[in-house]
């Protein structure tokens, strides 16, 4: 269980650091920035604490990992150009 939880947290952390936060432009809404920052910090905390999770937590973390990897168009800007 712990390995699965760590993998899910790693997916969220990497997606947050290298895809979501780096792809944001100055017009990205504050709410979306804070959401990704909280998700990324939460994933880092899961990796650093390293405690054995209960199975509902593992399912939740895998659900979050799947959600952040889903292809959603214009989630950051709602149609606004980054220029």
């Amino acid at each position: 269980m712990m390995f699965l939880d760590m993998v899910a947290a790693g997916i969220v952390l990497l997606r947050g650091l290298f895809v979501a936060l780096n792809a944001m432009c100055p017009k990205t809404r504050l709410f979306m920035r804070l959401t990704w920052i909280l998700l990324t910090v939460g994933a880092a905390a899961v990796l650093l604490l390293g405690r054995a999770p209960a199975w509902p937590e593992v399912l939740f973390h895998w659900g979050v990992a799947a959600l952040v990897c889903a292809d959603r168009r214009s989630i950051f800007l709602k149609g606004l150009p980054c220029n």
Side-chain angles (χ1 to χ4, degrees):
M1 283 279 195
M2 190 168 172
F3 173 75
L4 292 174
D5 197 44
M6 295 289 185
V7 170
I11 290 171
V12 174
L13 181 69
L14 293 175
R15 180 78 178 186
L17 286 176
F18 297 114
V19 178
L21 292 173
N22 285 333
M24 291 182 189
C25 69
K27 293 183 182 178
T28 302
R29 294 181 180 163
L30 179 63
F31 177 75
M32 191 55 63
R33 285 183 193 276
L34 291 177
T35 300
W36 272 104
I37 289 169
L38 289 174
L39 279 172
T40 305
V41 170
V46 168
L47 290 172
L48 291 175
L49 288 177
R51 63 175 179 77
W55 66 269
E57 293 176 28
V58 174
L59 291 177
F60 176 73
H61 292 154
W62 273 98
V64 170
L67 183 65
V68 300
C69 289
D71 184 25
R72 295 165 298 194
R73 295 180 180 238
S74 69
I75 187 77
F76 298 121
L77 303 175
K78 300 291 184 191
L80 297 174
C82 282
N83 298 335

